[in-house]
Amino acid sequence: GDRMEIALELHSRWDLPSAMRIARAVEPYEPRWFEDPVRSDGVSALGEFAASTRIPTVAGENLGTFPAFRELIESTPVRIVMADPSYAGGISSVRRIANLAGLHLRSFTTHDASGPVNLAVGVQLGLHHENAIAQEVVRAYYNGWYREMVTGLPELAYGSFLPHDRTGHGVELMADVEGRADVSTQV
């Protein structure tokens, strides 16, 4: 039935003709979006893909500079801009990206696959931008290793992250993490 939305993550692994063929085949099922159908740094191909389908295209999770996002936003019909705080320069940079997307009437979302602090920062950014529509989360990480490393993860209830009353992003490293045998740290 239609009790849950399906979004297609294509992981930038397709060439343009293949991605367009996939899009045509699944459009009748009304997916929420096509995520990264082709590489985000292939702006021309990404724009051609986005223009070829009525389903929204989301892109940007692997981009790392504000100029790259500006080019994506200003020269393609991508409807949803996704930024990863740890790749895209942190909180200030992602705020600029979200604001630029909003100025161009594009939706915004943050990407998570980089750790619990990245998720918490993304949730806070999403809660404070009017054009934010979602927060990507890897449930296996959220319910698995994130909980083995930190306290104060954003609370997930009925498919939505809730605001918290802690200072900053709210996540704190567990006291015993640095001494654990299953953890390695790099300086």
Side-chain angles (χ1 to χ4, degrees):
D2 60 359
R3 292 186 329 201
M4 94 183 200
E5 288 185 296
I6 302 294
L8 272 70
E9 163 66 271
L10 299 173
H11 282 291
S12 303
R13 301 218 173 142
W14 302 95
D15 62 19
L16 181 58
S18 298
M20 290 171 74
R21 185 172 179 205
I22 292 167
R24 283 191 303 275
V26 299
E27 271 186 349
Y29 301 101
E30 300 287 334
R32 182 174 188 180
W33 65 48
F34 295 120
E35 183 177 339
D36 293 315
V38 297
R39 290 175 47 117
S40 292
D41 60 355
V43 175
S44 176
L46 189 55
E48 191 173 339
F49 176 88
S52 76
T53 179
R54 61 185 171 71
I55 305 300
T57 299
V58 59
E61 72 181 38
N62 292 312
L63 295 178
T65 66
F66 183 78
F69 277 97
R70 186 177 61 226
E71 182 179 11
L72 174 74
I73 294 165
E74 292 179 352
S75 65
T76 74
V78 165
R79 288 191 241 164
I80 305 165
V81 176
M82 180 180 281
D84 186 302
S86 65
Y87 301 162
I91 295 168
S92 297
S93 183
V94 175
R95 287 187 63 200
R96 289 178 63 207
I97 293 162
N99 289 336
L100 182 63
L103 287 172
H104 288 268
L105 305 177
R106 310 291 174 84
S107 297
F108 170 75
T109 186
T110 51
H111 174 257
D112 170 57
S114 304
V117 172
N118 193 62
L119 171 64
V121 166
V123 167
Q124 290 302 309
L125 287 163
L127 289 169
H128 294 93
H129 281 88
E130 63 185 22
N131 59 329
I133 61 165
Q135 167 61 57
E136 184 177 60
V137 63
V138 179
R139 288 181 301 167
Y141 292 176
Y142 180 80
N143 293 314
W145 73 270
Y146 286 9
R147 294 188 180 283
E148 296 169 3
M149 304 289 287
V150 302
T151 60
L153 281 172
E155 183 181 347
L156 183 58
Y158 304 104
S160 295
F161 283 104
L162 305 176
H164 62 74
D165 60 359
R166 296 176 302 278
T167 302
H169 54 63
V171 172
E172 292 186 27
L173 195 61
M174 290 181 176
D176 68 337
V177 167
E178 292 186 62
R180 287 181 13 197
D182 63 333
V183 174
S184 66
T185 59
Q186 296 177 355
V187 179

